[in-house]
Amino acid sequence: MIHSCFDTNQLIFKRNNMFPMRVVNLSFFILALSTWLIAQSNAADLTPSPHPSNMPPHKPGQSLSRWSHETPPTQPPQPAPSCECEPSPEDFTNMKQYEAYKVIKRFKGIITSDPLNITGTWVGTKICDNDEINTYRGFYCDTPPGTTDLTIAAIDFNGFHLGAPTLDGFINGFPDLALFHANSNNFSGTVPDLSGLPYFYELDLSNNNFSGPFPTNVVPLTNLAFLDLRFNHFEGPVPSQIFYIGYEALFLNNNIFDSSIPASLGSSPVEYLTFANNRFTGPIPASICNTSRTLLEVLFLNNQFSGCLPYEIGYLRDLTVFDVGMNQLTGYIPLSFGCLSNIEQLNLAQNSLYGMVPDVVCQLAKTGNLVNLSLSDNYFTSLGPNCWDLLHTNVLDVRNNCIVGLPNQKSPIKCHFFFSLPRHCPYIAHMPCEVNPRRNATCYDRTHWPWHFDHSPPLPH
């Protein structure tokens, strides 16, 4: 660089024919240039050298090569940013499983509680290869009729304790779903419209946090064979249309339903029927006798049913459990109850029933399957001959009645007050199984039979 400067100045100099003034100027320039070179040399002496005396303390295992003035230090390589790549349709066995994957992923995003880490198993593309423990717990696959595509056909979340504000967009997101069971979770919101699911036949939403009126979205589900709404907060009336659906089991107990039971109950082909622990009012419909071809168990206990105990109950020849305990029913036990040849559990306790306990009912413990006859907390005044035998075998419970000579009965004053009130229930002195023992599947016209209204039953002696 210095050499170039001199060359340049030499050229300038020659071009000016070396006049004496130019020589003076050149001498001055050389002096100034020398001074500048000395200053630059002194500045260079002030730069620290890589001598050990100028280095920071050396740490064991640390290379000294990074102090070299010849190559700058290099940065360690940075790891590539990780990403969770979204699977494509080609990663799945078929498009139905891919669409199911998207529905599950959306639902997973709104889960509010998952104490058992169930959703942690909802990963990967093997939707239908689950082993019930490690992959997609709760989902089960099958091949719908007329197709060859394996897809989600059943969901069983029983006991998972999952929480979500809605099931809309989830249950109805699986077009081939046949059943959904979700007992003991923390789901809420409204029941989705499931009318677009042609194979759907079982819905269990028991023990959750659903509320509001009866979910009318289940009414159009004419193929629904199993409906379980127990242990929620549904309230208000029960629509009459639900009894036209072909249920095998209908569980409505432990809610806040507060209407009367519609007469359409008799149109139901139900086998297991539970209305217990609600606030149902009014009489038990006499039309219940039209369910005699199917009904096996019925639970009406702990409601506010009133009126007379229907004679038509006696037509339910296949009935094994009948429970109307803890209501406001009154009247006699109809003699027709002696036709319940398959009854095992008969609970009429905690009502306002009165009169004699029919001997034909107590005989069912000897000729039929009766193992428990609960009549406590009523106003019965006497027992048939066979009933006394059941007291010794603990089949019959008649505590807190008005039966003279038995311990643990109501006081005479309380019994007298009850019988001083008017009563209106009829007494029918016939049994349907005696009148027509082979054909009693449907209700008879009770106007063909004589009855009388008992306004003054005998008081206990």
Side-chain angles (χ1 to χ4, degrees):
M1 188 71 179
I2 298 174
H3 178 70
S4 298
C5 291
F6 274 114
D7 287 347
T8 302
N9 283 284
Q10 290 292 342
L11 290 175
I12 294 173
F13 178 74
K14 291 181 179 178
R15 193 177 57 183
N16 288 284
N17 296 320
M18 300 183 65
F19 288 138
M21 179 60 78
R22 302 297 182 189
V23 173
V24 173
N25 290 340
L26 181 61
S27 299
F28 177 79
F29 176 77
I30 292 173
L31 179 61
L33 182 61
S34 300
T35 304
W36 180 82
L37 290 174
I38 293 172
Q40 291 298 318
S41 176
N42 292 335
D45 290 339
L46 297 177
T47 303
S49 68
H51 192 273
S53 61
N54 296 322
M55 294 182 184
H58 175 62
K59 297 180 180 179
Q62 186 180 39
S63 174
L64 295 176
S65 61
R66 70 187 187 92
W67 294 104
S68 172
H69 64 284
E70 297 178 355
T71 56
T74 57
Q75 296 295 328
Q78 298 295 323
S82 60
C83 67
E84 187 174 334
C85 300
E86 182 69 19
S88 62
E90 293 77 15
D91 298 324
F92 294 83
T93 304
N94 54 55
M95 281 300 297
K96 286 188 175 183
Q97 292 188 30
Y98 173 63
E99 294 298 329
Y101 166 82
K102 294 193 296 183
V103 173
I104 296 171
K105 183 178 179 181
R106 287 196 300 268
F107 183 64
K108 187 176 179 179
I110 67 169
I111 293 293
T112 56
S113 63
D114 182 13
L116 303 179
N117 193 31
I118 300 298
T119 60
T121 69
W122 299 353
V123 293
T125 61
K126 303 301 182 182
I127 300 290
C128 290
D129 293 345
N130 62 310
D131 57 8
E132 302 183 13
I133 297 177
N134 297 319
T135 308
Y136 286 93
R137 287 188 61 189
F139 295 93
Y140 302 90
C141 293
D142 203 347
T143 303
T147 71
T148 58
D149 288 338
L150 193 64
T151 186
I152 290 178
I155 299 175
D156 186 354
F157 287 170
N158 284 353
F160 281 3
H161 303 287
L162 295 172
T166 182
L167 293 175
D168 198 7
F170 179 63
I171 306 178
N172 48 340
F174 303 98
D176 300 304
L177 195 66
L179 61 90
F180 180 78
H181 290 179
N183 175 279
S184 299
N185 284 277
N186 194 25
F187 297 135
S188 57
T190 57
V191 178
D193 180 5
L194 306 176
S195 58
L197 308 183
Y199 309 115
F200 197 77
Y201 70 94
E202 286 193 12
L203 179 61
D204 181 356
L205 301 177
S206 58
N207 198 20
N208 280 276
N209 285 323
F210 292 98
S211 60
F214 186 94
T216 56
N217 278 340
V218 307
V219 173
L221 304 180
T222 55
N223 294 327
L224 200 61
F226 181 91
L227 178 61
D228 191 347
L229 303 180
R230 295 174 296 168
F231 295 96
N232 280 286
H233 307 285
F234 293 114
E235 58 186 334
V238 172
S240 60
Q241 297 93 328
I242 68 169
F243 297 111
Y244 296 108
I245 300 174
Y247 299 118
E248 295 177 8
L250 176 60
F251 299 146
L252 304 181
N253 54 287
N254 295 83
N255 281 282
I256 323 174
F257 294 120
D258 56 9
S259 65
S260 59
I261 302 296
S264 59
L265 170 64
S267 300
S268 176
V270 68
E271 296 180 14
Y272 302 93
L273 182 65
T274 63
F275 291 148
N277 302 316
N278 279 281
R279 299 174 185 172
F280 286 111
T281 60
I284 297 173
S287 62
I288 192 174
C289 64
N290 286 319
T291 66
S292 60
R293 287 188 175 92
T294 58
L295 191 59
L296 300 177
E297 296 184 11
V298 57
L299 303 180
F300 289 133
L301 77 153
N302 193 23
N303 279 281
Q304 299 173 18
F305 289 112
S306 59
C308 310
L309 200 57
Y311 177 92
E312 287 78 5
I313 299 297
Y315 282 87
L316 305 177
R317 293 287 299 277
D318 294 326
L319 199 65
T320 60
V321 176
F322 183 75
D323 192 335
V324 291
M326 301 176 65
N327 280 283
Q328 300 169 18
L329 297 166
T330 189
Y332 297 101
I333 298 178
L335 291 181
S336 63
F337 277 44
C339 296
L340 301 177
S341 56
N342 290 304
I343 198 73
E344 299 173 8
Q345 305 284 336
L346 181 57
N347 181 19
L348 310 179
Q350 298 187 50
N351 281 281
S352 295
L353 304 173
Y354 54 81
M356 174 185 285
V357 178
D359 198 56
V360 291
V361 175
C362 293
Q363 283 180 352
L364 295 174
K366 299 179 179 180
T367 62
N369 301 318
L370 184 64
V371 295
N372 184 18
L373 178 57
S374 299
L375 304 179
S376 61
D377 292 287
N378 282 284
Y379 291 88
F380 293 111
T381 55
S382 60
L383 302 175
N386 285 285
C387 299
W388 290 95
D389 295 336
L390 301 186
L391 291 176
H392 304 297
T393 58
N394 295 321
V395 173
L396 175 62
D397 182 1
V398 288
R399 290 172 298 170
N400 204 28
N401 277 276
C402 299
I403 303 173
V404 176
L406 286 181
N408 303 315
Q409 301 294 297
K410 288 184 171 71
S411 67
I413 295 176
K414 192 171 184 179
C415 292
H416 189 278
F417 175 78
F418 173 80
F419 287 111
S420 67
L421 301 175
R423 280 159 297 284
H424 58 275
C425 291
Y427 175 79
I428 303 175
H430 296 279
M431 296 172 60
C433 50
E434 287 182 342
V435 175
N436 197 345
R438 295 186 179 181
R439 296 183 59 191
N440 62 338
T442 57
C443 299
Y444 73 106
D445 183 357
R446 64 160 62 177
T447 59
H448 292 168
W449 298 100
W451 63 46
H452 70 276
F453 290 90
D454 183 46
H455 297 287
S456 56
L459 296 179
H461 300 292

